[in-house]
């Protein structure tokens, strides 16, 4: 199976490395030339490389999805699929608008990875990760390739519950740490900060319900346990905000606030977005 | 006005103290030790300062200017005996109630200040923003004592407006403050940039309307007060028009070169100082709850500022 990966950041590079090790024919596509040249896989800055792919896994930042979709539209084969494992809401819709919904697969991943420099990535625990794919044409083929790469995979009729679950966990703690210019442990240590975190989280769960997605009742406890284990960790969105880089806030809190009643998410989104470079 | 005590004389309190001293009153500042000592060392005419509440001498007029969360503790050791008039130019409207509890409602004047000042170093204050000072009786009467305090402040060079609608001024400033800090302090932006941002301008308008609804329910009508944003007009306008009014204020600030204005809540955040969210959002949220008014953005802002306040280093 031939797989192209759009967006060779930390996660894209991790998936590319693992899939290639598992025997798939992998091409990484990214606009960062220095990184592309340093990767010891087949990598390019040219989206023409997507023309050969059976599946394209999209792992760019969510604000780049529209550009990726436009680049793929004239090149992707009719029978090829585009799979988004990106953060946030709306990536599948953006891809579907350019490629047609029948070629787009929604998904999510819990794999962690960190880019150490051009061509170098540190991959988090693979066995503990889970890649979720919505079922569809050619998805079994991709799932098999992921399995061969040692990545645990689940294929579900509807991936939305998983996507919202992940959203509740990332779109609450990350943006709050970013707004407070602090780390996870500090937020959890102070009642008032924890209360704001709980409100942001509850808003996301409530908006999910208005979208017909039920999030498990024990998710808050699970989230607290997960966050507690992180200690004085600064989520990447908080690091990006402090470094003045553009973030995915619009696909996280911004998307939640556009869908329903979510005033804390709205303030998180408007505050973080307004300070970003355009 | 013969003798004045300024409680919590930081930048703005000292500016008023200096004005009243210039105008002929004997002024004592109750201030932080370094500032008080610097004022004493400077040997200013009719202007002295102490840092110990026990060293405060009786005054006929008291002006309270400390940060709102410090008010109760600042007044507690002081005796209200001999005080004829007490006024506060602090943020919020709860300040008047705290003063009433200290010296009785009949001695309290309402007040609001549009003046800006910063402490350059202990003993030295810079007057950074020209603005009007509003004074008036809480019950709307026009009184001689409000006029004479106004005259005393004006004698020192600060313009004063004595009004029969001082509660409207206080509420207009409060509601504006809640909307302003949500768009300028949370994103940590200079004021002119926050105002020009389309989504932040929408947040300003929506938050302002929540505050206007609370004010209406307690029987106070907002006003377009000179020296302030035209909050009554903005709150009443169609949304798109209101957003455009807000963005235009930001463009005009930029065109006028006012590109270094940072709201005081942001300065407090950046310096790791306690925030005034209780006097601004906390008060509005509690009033909204009491009256059954919906105020989701004000409440969200309260939670986020409380989080920032709790988590500061």
């Amino acid at each position: 199976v031939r797989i192209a990966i759009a967006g060779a950041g930390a996660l894209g590079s991790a998936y590319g490395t693992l899939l290639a090790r598992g025997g798939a024919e992998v091409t990484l596509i990214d606009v960062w030339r220095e990184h592309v040249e340093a990767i010891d896989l087949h990598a390019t800055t040219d989206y023409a490389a997507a023309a050969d792919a059976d599946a394209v896994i999209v792992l760019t930042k969510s604000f780049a999805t529209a550009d990726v979709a436009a680049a793929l539209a004239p090149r992707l084969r009719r029978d090829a699929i585009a799979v988004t494992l990106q953060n946030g809401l709306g990536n599948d819709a953006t891809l579907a608008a350019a490629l047609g919904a029948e070629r787009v697969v929604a998904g999510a991943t819990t794999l962690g990875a960190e880019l150490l420099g051009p061509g170098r990535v540190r991959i988090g625990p693979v066995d503990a990760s889970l890649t979720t794919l919505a079922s569809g044409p050619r998805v079994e083929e991709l799932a098999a390739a992921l399995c061969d790469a040692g990545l645990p995979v689940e294929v579900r009729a509807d991936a939305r519950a998983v996507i919202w679950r992940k959203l509740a966990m990332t779109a609450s703690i990350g943006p709050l740490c970013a707004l407070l210019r602090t780390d996870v442990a500090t937020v959890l240590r102070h009642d008032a900060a924890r209360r704001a975190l709980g409100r942001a989280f509850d808003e996301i769960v409530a908006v999910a319900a208005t979208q017909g997605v039920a999030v498990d009742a024990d998710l808050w406890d699970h989230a607290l346990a997960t966050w507690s284990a992180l200690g004085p960790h600064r989520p990447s969105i908080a690091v990006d905000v402090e470094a003045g880089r553009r973030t995915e806030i619009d696909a996280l809190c911004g998307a939640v606030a556009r869908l329903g009643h979510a005033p804390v998410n709205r303030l998180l989104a408007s505050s973080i977005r307004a300070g970003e470079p355009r | 006005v013969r003798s004045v005590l300024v409680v919590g004389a930081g930048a703005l309190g000292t500016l008023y103290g200096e004005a009243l001293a210039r105008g002929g009153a004997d002024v004592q500042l109750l201030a932080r030790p370094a500032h008080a000592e610097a004022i004493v060392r400077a040997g200013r005419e009719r202007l002295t300062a102490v840092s110990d509440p026990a060293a405060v001498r009786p005054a006929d007029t008291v002006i309270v200017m400390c940060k709102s969360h410090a008010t109760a503790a600042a007044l507690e050791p002081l005796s209200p005996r001999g005080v004829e008039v007490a006024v506060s130019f602090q943020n919020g409207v709860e300040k008047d109630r705290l003063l009433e509890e200290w010296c009785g409602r009949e001695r309290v004047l309402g007040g609001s200040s549009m003046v800006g000042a910063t402490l350059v170093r202990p003993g030295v204050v810079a007057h950074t923003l020209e603005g009007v000072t509003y004074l008036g009786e809480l019950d709307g009467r026009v009184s001689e004592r409000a006029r004479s305090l106004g005259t005393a402040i004006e004698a020192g060079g600060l313009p004063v407006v004595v009004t029969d609608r001082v509660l409207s001024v206080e509420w207009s400033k409060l509601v504006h403050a809640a909307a302003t800090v949500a768009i300028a302090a949370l994103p940590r932006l200079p004021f002119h940039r926050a105002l020009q941002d389309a989504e932040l301008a929408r947040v300003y308008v929506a938050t302002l309307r929540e505050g206007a609804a609370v004010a209406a329910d307690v029987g106070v009508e907002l006003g377009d007060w000179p020296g302030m944003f035209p909050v009554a007009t903005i709150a009443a306008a169609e949304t798109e028009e209101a957003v455009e009014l807000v963005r235009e204020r930001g463009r005009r600030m930029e065109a006028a070169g006012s590109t270094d204005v940072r709201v005081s809540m942001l300065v407090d955040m950046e310096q790791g100082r306690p925030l005034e969210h209780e006097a601004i959002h906390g008060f509005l949220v509690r009033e909204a709850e009491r009256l059954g008014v919906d105020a989701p953005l004000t409440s969200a802002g309260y939670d986020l500022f409380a989080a920032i306040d709790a988590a500061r280093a």
Side-chain angles (χ1 to χ4, degrees):
Chain A
V1 58
R2 282 166 299 184
I3 298 170
I5 295 179
L11 267 184
S13 302
Y15 270 86
T17 303
L18 295 168
L19 282 162
R21 259 186 228 158
E25 211 178 298
V26 175
T27 301
L28 288 167
I29 310 173
D30 198 285
V31 291
W32 184 15
R33 182 168 295 279
E34 194 190 0
H35 177 53
V36 160
E37 283 167 359
I39 294 173
D40 55 5
L41 297 167
H42 183 230
T44 174
T45 57
D46 186 355
Y47 269 85
D52 294 332
D54 300 306
V56 179
I57 301 178
V58 182
L59 274 166
T60 59
K61 295 281 189 187
S62 54
F63 51 76
T65 307
D67 288 345
V68 171
L72 290 177
R75 300 184 171 110
L76 196 64
R77 286 202 328 262
R78 290 296 339 152
D79 63 339
I81 55 170
V83 181
T84 166
L85 300 179
Q86 296 157 281
N87 276 323
L89 296 175
N91 294 300
D92 53 343
T94 302
L95 291 169
L99 305 173
E102 69 288 351
R103 286 200 287 174
V104 174
V105 177
T109 176
T110 63
L111 184 68
E114 187 188 351
L115 208 55
L116 303 173
R120 295 176 57 233
V121 64
R122 178 190 293 142
I123 304 175
V126 175
D127 293 340
S129 77
L130 182 62
T131 305
T132 303
L133 302 172
S135 55
R138 309 208 73 151
V139 167
E140 291 304 332
E141 210 178 330
L142 177 63
L146 291 165
C147 279
D148 291 344
L151 284 155
V153 184
E154 60 167 359
V155 177
R156 302 166 68 111
D158 187 350
R160 291 190 308 156
V162 177
I163 291 169
W164 277 94
R165 224 180 120 86
K166 186 179 174 192
L167 190 71
M169 292 189 58
T170 53
S172 52
I173 188 76
L176 189 62
C177 286
L179 188 83
L180 269 54
R181 305 287 194 271
T182 194
D183 58 79
V184 173
T186 304
V187 166
L188 295 182
R189 193 165 60 241
H190 295 97
D191 286 347
R194 214 163 146 137
R195 201 172 312 121
L197 175 65
R199 265 196 78 181
F201 182 95
D202 289 345
E203 287 178 1
I204 299 170
V205 171
V207 171
T210 68
Q211 301 297 303
V213 177
V215 174
D216 346 335
D218 66 351
L219 185 60
W220 173 248
D221 293 334
H222 170 71
L224 273 185
T226 307
W227 295 330
S228 299
L230 289 174
H233 164 75
R234 233 164 242 255
S236 65
I237 190 170
V239 175
D240 286 343
V241 165
E242 286 187 57
R245 287 191 288 264
R246 191 165 174 195
T247 73
E248 298 185 282
I249 190 68
D250 195 53
L252 302 171
C253 304
V256 173
R258 279 192 296 276
L259 281 174
H261 180 73
V264 175
N265 278 273
R266 183 175 178 191
L267 289 185
L268 286 169
S270 63
S271 301
I272 291 171
R273 196 203 38 75
E276 287 182 359
R278 294 279 83 194
Chain B
V1 179
R2 295 173 311 277
S3 53
V4 177
L5 169 66
V6 182
V7 178
L12 200 54
T14 302
L15 194 77
Y16 278 98
E18 289 172 342
L20 284 157
R22 268 197 305 276
D26 280 318
V27 179
Q28 187 179 41
L29 309 179
L30 178 57
R32 294 216 171 103
H35 185 52
E37 283 157 23
I39 294 281
V40 171
R41 260 201 314 278
R44 315 269 292 269
E45 203 177 340
R46 290 187 299 278
L47 182 69
T48 182
V50 294
S51 57
D52 178 5
V56 164
R57 62 172 191 230
D60 55 54
T61 302
V62 172
I63 299 178
V64 179
M65 287 299 323
C66 54
K67 288 285 180 181
S68 49
H69 43 77
T71 308
L75 290 175
E76 199 269 331
L78 303 176
S79 163
R81 194 168 317 144
V83 173
E84 289 163 24
V85 174
V87 65
S88 157
F89 299 127
Q90 297 161 290
N91 277 322
V93 301
E94 263 177 325
K95 62 191 180 68
D96 296 331
R97 191 181 50 74
L98 289 174
L99 269 182
E100 286 170 19
E101 282 170 10
W102 178 65
C103 65
R105 184 173 171 85
E106 68 288 352
R107 290 192 254 185
V108 178
L109 280 182
S112 200
S113 169
M114 309 300 139
V115 179
T118 54
L119 201 58
V120 180
R121 57 177 183 274
V124 179
V125 168
H127 186 175
T128 52
L129 184 66
E130 299 283 342
V132 176
T133 300
Y134 288 93
L135 280 175
E137 295 289 342
L138 294 171
D139 62 6
R141 279 180 300 125
V142 176
S143 71
E144 192 45 48
R145 62 180 186 174
R147 259 200 297 268
S148 69
L149 177 55
T151 305
I153 294 172
E154 281 200 320
L158 296 177
V160 174
V161 172
V162 177
T163 171
D164 58 358
R165 292 180 61 209
V166 76
L167 281 178
S168 172
V169 180
E170 290 187 359
W171 273 87
S172 297
K173 190 180 180 208
L174 169 69
V175 165
H176 169 70
T180 292
V181 298
I183 67 162
L186 286 181
R188 303 175 197 238
L189 287 175
F191 195 27
H192 74 285
R193 272 191 59 198
L195 292 168
Q196 288 179 57
D197 182 275
E199 170 59 11
L200 290 178
R202 283 177 192 286
V203 169
Y204 176 93
V205 170
T207 310
L208 190 75
R209 285 182 176 160
E210 292 178 6
V214 175
D217 255 43
V218 298
V220 176
E221 205 180 322
L222 301 186
D224 291 349
W225 293 97
M228 256 194 266
F229 271 40
V231 291
T233 296
I234 294 171
E238 295 288 331
T239 300
E240 290 313 311
E241 194 188 325
V243 167
E244 190 44 41
L245 280 171
V246 172
R247 299 185 72 187
E248 180 58 23
R249 299 286 301 205
R251 289 190 283 267
R252 273 173 22 209
M253 275 185 83
E254 182 162 358
S258 305
T259 52
D260 54 358
V261 177
R262 299 171 90 73
V263 299
S264 66
M265 186 87 109
L266 177 54
V267 176
D268 289 342
M269 275 164 60
E270 285 171 341
Q271 305 198 350
R273 292 197 294 240
L275 304 185
E276 290 200 281
H277 61 290
E278 285 297 344
I280 301 172
H281 303 77
F283 171 75
L284 285 172
V285 167
R286 287 186 289 273
E287 286 294 279
E289 267 172 27
R290 183 174 69 82
L291 300 160
V293 175
D294 208 23
L297 281 172
T298 311
S299 165
Y302 175 75
D303 284 355
L304 290 174
F305 281 114
I308 291 169
D309 189 51
R312 74 200 144 84

